[in-house]
PDB file of all heavy atoms in Angstrom:
ATOM      1  N   SER A  40     -20.777   6.665 -16.258  1.00 97.00           N
ATOM      2  CA  SER A  40     -21.899   6.469 -15.392  1.00 97.00           C
ATOM      3  C   SER A  40     -21.673   6.978 -13.993  1.00 97.00           C
ATOM      4  O   SER A  40     -22.669   7.152 -13.239  1.00 97.00           O
ATOM      5  CB  SER A  40     -22.244   4.943 -15.272  1.00 97.00           C
ATOM      6  OG  SER A  40     -21.221   4.193 -14.652  1.00 97.00           O
ATOM      7  N   LEU A  41     -20.479   7.231 -13.596  1.00 97.00           N
ATOM      8  CA  LEU A  41     -20.174   7.821 -12.304  1.00 97.00           C
ATOM      9  C   LEU A  41     -19.940   9.297 -12.459  1.00 97.00           C
ATOM     10  O   LEU A  41     -19.107   9.761 -13.292  1.00 97.00           O
ATOM     11  CB  LEU A  41     -18.843   7.172 -11.804  1.00 97.00           C
ATOM     12  CG  LEU A  41     -18.525   7.479 -10.314  1.00 97.00           C
ATOM     13  CD1 LEU A  41     -19.494   6.834  -9.345  1.00 97.00           C
ATOM     14  CD2 LEU A  41     -17.107   7.070  -9.989  1.00 97.00           C
ATOM     15  N   ALA A  46     -18.464  19.168  -7.579  1.00 93.00           N
ATOM     16  CA  ALA A  46     -17.392  19.572  -8.426  1.00 93.00           C
ATOM     17  C   ALA A  46     -16.626  20.832  -7.923  1.00 93.00           C
ATOM     18  O   ALA A  46     -15.501  21.049  -8.300  1.00 93.00           O
ATOM     19  CB  ALA A  46     -17.908  19.843  -9.798  1.00 93.00           C
ATOM     20  N   LEU A  48     -15.486  21.279  -5.001  1.00 96.00           N
ATOM     21  CA  LEU A  48     -14.488  20.886  -4.055  1.00 96.00           C
ATOM     22  C   LEU A  48     -13.182  20.502  -4.731  1.00 96.00           C
ATOM     23  O   LEU A  48     -13.168  20.102  -5.877  1.00 96.00           O
ATOM     24  CB  LEU A  48     -14.966  19.714  -3.210  1.00 96.00           C
ATOM     25  CG  LEU A  48     -16.205  20.019  -2.337  1.00 96.00           C
ATOM     26  CD1 LEU A  48     -16.637  18.737  -1.562  1.00 96.00           C
ATOM     27  CD2 LEU A  48     -15.899  21.129  -1.334  1.00 96.00           C
ATOM     28  N   TYR A  72     -27.866   2.632  11.431  1.00 49.00           N
ATOM     29  CA  TYR A  72     -26.388   2.702  11.452  1.00 49.00           C
ATOM     30  C   TYR A  72     -25.769   1.825  12.481  1.00 49.00           C
ATOM     31  O   TYR A  72     -24.753   1.240  12.283  1.00 49.00           O
ATOM     32  CB  TYR A  72     -25.943   4.189  11.622  1.00 49.00           C
ATOM     33  CG  TYR A  72     -26.350   5.109  10.526  1.00 49.00           C
ATOM     34  CD1 TYR A  72     -27.041   6.242  10.747  1.00 49.00           C
ATOM     35  CD2 TYR A  72     -25.859   4.796   9.165  1.00 49.00           C
ATOM     36  CE1 TYR A  72     -27.378   7.097   9.687  1.00 49.00           C
ATOM     37  CE2 TYR A  72     -26.185   5.663   8.171  1.00 49.00           C
ATOM     38  CZ  TYR A  72     -26.953   6.793   8.387  1.00 49.00           C
ATOM     39  OH  TYR A  72     -27.285   7.686   7.390  1.00 49.00           O
ATOM     40  N   ARG A  89      -8.860   8.423   3.507  1.00 98.00           N
ATOM     41  CA  ARG A  89      -9.667   7.251   3.046  1.00 98.00           C
ATOM     42  C   ARG A  89     -10.752   7.700   2.121  1.00 98.00           C
ATOM     43  O   ARG A  89     -11.379   8.718   2.275  1.00 98.00           O
ATOM     44  CB  ARG A  89     -10.261   6.601   4.282  1.00 98.00           C
ATOM     45  CG  ARG A  89      -9.246   6.195   5.324  1.00 98.00           C
ATOM     46  CD  ARG A  89      -9.865   5.808   6.644  1.00 98.00           C
ATOM     47  NE  ARG A  89      -8.815   5.441   7.606  1.00 98.00           N
ATOM     48  CZ  ARG A  89      -8.455   6.212   8.645  1.00 98.00           C
ATOM     49  NH1 ARG A  89      -9.109   7.311   8.890  1.00 98.00           N
ATOM     50  NH2 ARG A  89      -7.514   5.788   9.466  1.00 98.00           N
ATOM     51  N   ILE A  90     -10.995   6.873   1.087  1.00 98.00           N
ATOM     52  CA  ILE A  90     -12.092   7.077   0.142  1.00 98.00           C
ATOM     53  C   ILE A  90     -13.031   5.827   0.267  1.00 98.00           C
ATOM     54  O   ILE A  90     -12.573   4.681  -0.070  1.00 98.00           O
ATOM     55  CB  ILE A  90     -11.574   7.223  -1.297  1.00 98.00           C
ATOM     56  CG1 ILE A  90     -10.766   8.526  -1.355  1.00 98.00           C
ATOM     57  CG2 ILE A  90     -12.712   7.238  -2.270  1.00 98.00           C
ATOM     58  CD1 ILE A  90     -10.191   8.793  -2.769  1.00 98.00           C
ATOM     59  N   GLN A  99     -31.396  -3.023  -9.773  1.00 92.00           N
ATOM     60  CA  GLN A  99     -31.394  -1.698 -10.287  1.00 92.00           C
ATOM     61  C   GLN A  99     -30.804  -0.762  -9.220  1.00 92.00           C
ATOM     62  O   GLN A  99     -31.514  -0.292  -8.326  1.00 92.00           O
ATOM     63  CB  GLN A  99     -32.805  -1.241 -10.625  1.00 92.00           C
ATOM     64  CG  GLN A  99     -33.435  -2.015 -11.763  1.00 92.00           C
ATOM     65  CD  GLN A  99     -34.802  -1.502 -12.154  1.00 92.00           C
ATOM     66  OE1 GLN A  99     -35.713  -1.270 -11.318  1.00 92.00           O
ATOM     67  NE2 GLN A  99     -35.014  -1.312 -13.417  1.00 92.00           N
ATOM     68  N   VAL A 109     -26.046  12.668   7.907  1.00 92.00           N
ATOM     69  CA  VAL A 109     -25.585  12.057   9.099  1.00 92.00           C
ATOM     70  C   VAL A 109     -24.341  11.176   8.808  1.00 92.00           C
ATOM     71  O   VAL A 109     -23.283  11.268   9.461  1.00 92.00           O
ATOM     72  CB  VAL A 109     -26.626  11.210   9.822  1.00 92.00           C
ATOM     73  CG1 VAL A 109     -26.061  10.447  11.017  1.00 92.00           C
ATOM     74  CG2 VAL A 109     -27.751  12.121  10.280  1.00 92.00           C
ATOM     75  N   GLY A 132     -25.761  18.794  -0.461  1.00 92.00           N
ATOM     76  CA  GLY A 132     -25.295  20.078   0.135  1.00 92.00           C
ATOM     77  C   GLY A 132     -24.477  19.847   1.382  1.00 92.00           C
ATOM     78  O   GLY A 132     -23.522  20.586   1.673  1.00 92.00           O
ATOM     79  N   ALA A 133     -24.811  18.824   2.184  1.00 89.00           N
ATOM     80  CA  ALA A 133     -24.086  18.496   3.415  1.00 89.00           C
ATOM     81  C   ALA A 133     -22.688  18.033   3.068  1.00 89.00           C
ATOM     82  O   ALA A 133     -21.729  18.436   3.795  1.00 89.00           O
ATOM     83  CB  ALA A 133     -24.794  17.395   4.208  1.00 89.00           C
ATOM     84  N   LEU A 167     -14.805  -0.065 -13.061  1.00 98.00           N
ATOM     85  CA  LEU A 167     -13.486  -0.053 -12.391  1.00 98.00           C
ATOM     86  C   LEU A 167     -13.497  -1.018 -11.212  1.00 98.00           C
ATOM     87  O   LEU A 167     -14.236  -0.834 -10.243  1.00 98.00           O
ATOM     88  CB  LEU A 167     -13.165   1.365 -11.938  1.00 98.00           C
ATOM     89  CG  LEU A 167     -11.884   1.538 -11.108  1.00 98.00           C
ATOM     90  CD1 LEU A 167     -10.631   1.099 -11.900  1.00 98.00           C
ATOM     91  CD2 LEU A 167     -11.724   2.994 -10.631  1.00 98.00           C
ATOM     92  N   THR A 171      -9.909  -2.896  -1.364  1.00 98.00           N
ATOM     93  CA  THR A 171      -9.502  -2.081  -0.190  1.00 98.00           C
ATOM     94  C   THR A 171      -7.957  -1.863  -0.225  1.00 98.00           C
ATOM     95  O   THR A 171      -7.206  -2.811  -0.447  1.00 98.00           O
ATOM     96  CB  THR A 171      -9.903  -2.754   1.088  1.00 98.00           C
ATOM     97  OG1 THR A 171     -11.377  -2.679   1.186  1.00 98.00           O
ATOM     98  CG2 THR A 171      -9.284  -2.109   2.320  1.00 98.00           C
ATOM     99  N   LEU A 175      -6.697   5.823  -4.998  1.00 98.00           N
ATOM    100  CA  LEU A 175      -7.656   6.447  -5.885  1.00 98.00           C
ATOM    101  C   LEU A 175      -7.452   7.966  -5.956  1.00 98.00           C
ATOM    102  O   LEU A 175      -7.105   8.583  -4.929  1.00 98.00           O
ATOM    103  CB  LEU A 175      -9.088   6.181  -5.459  1.00 98.00           C
ATOM    104  CG  LEU A 175      -9.521   4.679  -5.313  1.00 98.00           C
ATOM    105  CD1 LEU A 175     -10.979   4.622  -4.870  1.00 98.00           C
ATOM    106  CD2 LEU A 175      -9.361   3.918  -6.621  1.00 98.00           C
ATOM    107  N   PHE A 176      -7.761   8.542  -7.139  1.00 98.00           N
ATOM    108  CA  PHE A 176      -7.742   9.966  -7.360  1.00 98.00           C
ATOM    109  C   PHE A 176      -9.105  10.343  -7.964  1.00 98.00           C
ATOM    110  O   PHE A 176      -9.626   9.661  -8.815  1.00 98.00           O
ATOM    111  CB  PHE A 176      -6.631  10.387  -8.284  1.00 98.00           C
ATOM    112  CG  PHE A 176      -6.581  11.817  -8.564  1.00 98.00           C
ATOM    113  CD1 PHE A 176      -5.809  12.721  -7.785  1.00 98.00           C
ATOM    114  CD2 PHE A 176      -7.312  12.387  -9.598  1.00 98.00           C
ATOM    115  CE1 PHE A 176      -5.732  14.062  -8.049  1.00 98.00           C
ATOM    116  CE2 PHE A 176      -7.287  13.734  -9.863  1.00 98.00           C
ATOM    117  CZ  PHE A 176      -6.521  14.617  -9.070  1.00 98.00           C
ATOM    118  N   LEU A 183     -10.153   7.580 -10.835  1.00 98.00           N
ATOM    119  CA  LEU A 183      -9.294   6.596 -11.422  1.00 98.00           C
ATOM    120  C   LEU A 183      -8.367   5.978 -10.305  1.00 98.00           C
ATOM    121  O   LEU A 183      -8.213   6.651  -9.209  1.00 98.00           O
ATOM    122  CB  LEU A 183      -8.446   7.204 -12.538  1.00 98.00           C
ATOM    123  CG  LEU A 183      -7.606   8.458 -12.315  1.00 98.00           C
ATOM    124  CD1 LEU A 183      -6.295   8.141 -11.688  1.00 98.00           C
ATOM    125  CD2 LEU A 183      -7.362   9.187 -13.676  1.00 98.00           C
ATOM    126  N   ALA A 190       3.124   5.514  -7.853  1.00 97.00           N
ATOM    127  CA  ALA A 190       2.329   6.506  -7.258  1.00 97.00           C
ATOM    128  C   ALA A 190       3.195   7.795  -6.899  1.00 97.00           C
ATOM    129  O   ALA A 190       2.710   8.920  -7.021  1.00 97.00           O
ATOM    130  CB  ALA A 190       1.690   6.007  -5.975  1.00 97.00           C
ATOM    131  N   VAL A 193       4.102   9.883 -10.247  1.00 97.00           N
ATOM    132  CA  VAL A 193       3.025  10.444 -11.064  1.00 97.00           C
ATOM    133  C   VAL A 193       2.997  11.919 -11.099  1.00 97.00           C
ATOM    134  O   VAL A 193       2.892  12.594 -12.144  1.00 97.00           O
ATOM    135  CB  VAL A 193       1.661   9.830 -10.728  1.00 97.00           C
ATOM    136  CG1 VAL A 193       0.471  10.622 -11.400  1.00 97.00           C
ATOM    137  CG2 VAL A 193       1.603   8.381 -11.170  1.00 97.00           C
ATOM    138  N   ARG A 212      -1.623  29.995 -29.853  1.00 97.00           N
ATOM    139  CA  ARG A 212      -2.214  31.279 -29.552  1.00 97.00           C
ATOM    140  C   ARG A 212      -1.383  32.457 -29.968  1.00 97.00           C
ATOM    141  O   ARG A 212      -1.774  33.659 -29.950  1.00 97.00           O
ATOM    142  CB  ARG A 212      -2.510  31.425 -28.024  1.00 97.00           C
ATOM    143  CG  ARG A 212      -3.582  30.501 -27.593  1.00 97.00           C
ATOM    144  CD  ARG A 212      -3.745  30.582 -26.050  1.00 97.00           C
ATOM    145  NE  ARG A 212      -4.880  29.732 -25.587  1.00 97.00           N
ATOM    146  CZ  ARG A 212      -5.069  29.487 -24.294  1.00 97.00           C
ATOM    147  NH1 ARG A 212      -4.334  30.053 -23.370  1.00 97.00           N
ATOM    148  NH2 ARG A 212      -6.125  28.705 -23.933  1.00 97.00           N
ATOM    149  N   SER A 213      -0.157  32.175 -30.422  1.00 96.00           N
ATOM    150  CA  SER A 213       0.737  33.247 -30.784  1.00 96.00           C
ATOM    151  C   SER A 213       0.629  33.646 -32.266  1.00 96.00           C
ATOM    152  O   SER A 213       0.074  32.960 -33.106  1.00 96.00           O
ATOM    153  CB  SER A 213       2.227  32.786 -30.514  1.00 96.00           C
ATOM    154  OG  SER A 213       2.647  31.833 -31.474  1.00 96.00           O
TER     155      SER A 213
END
Side-chain angles (χ1 to χ4, degrees):
S40 65
L41 189 70
L48 295 178
Y72 292 125
R89 306 169 179 106
I90 294 179
Q99 294 182 314
V109 173
L167 174 62
T171 288
L175 303 179
F176 179 92
L183 54 81
V193 166
R212 293 174 175 173
S213 73

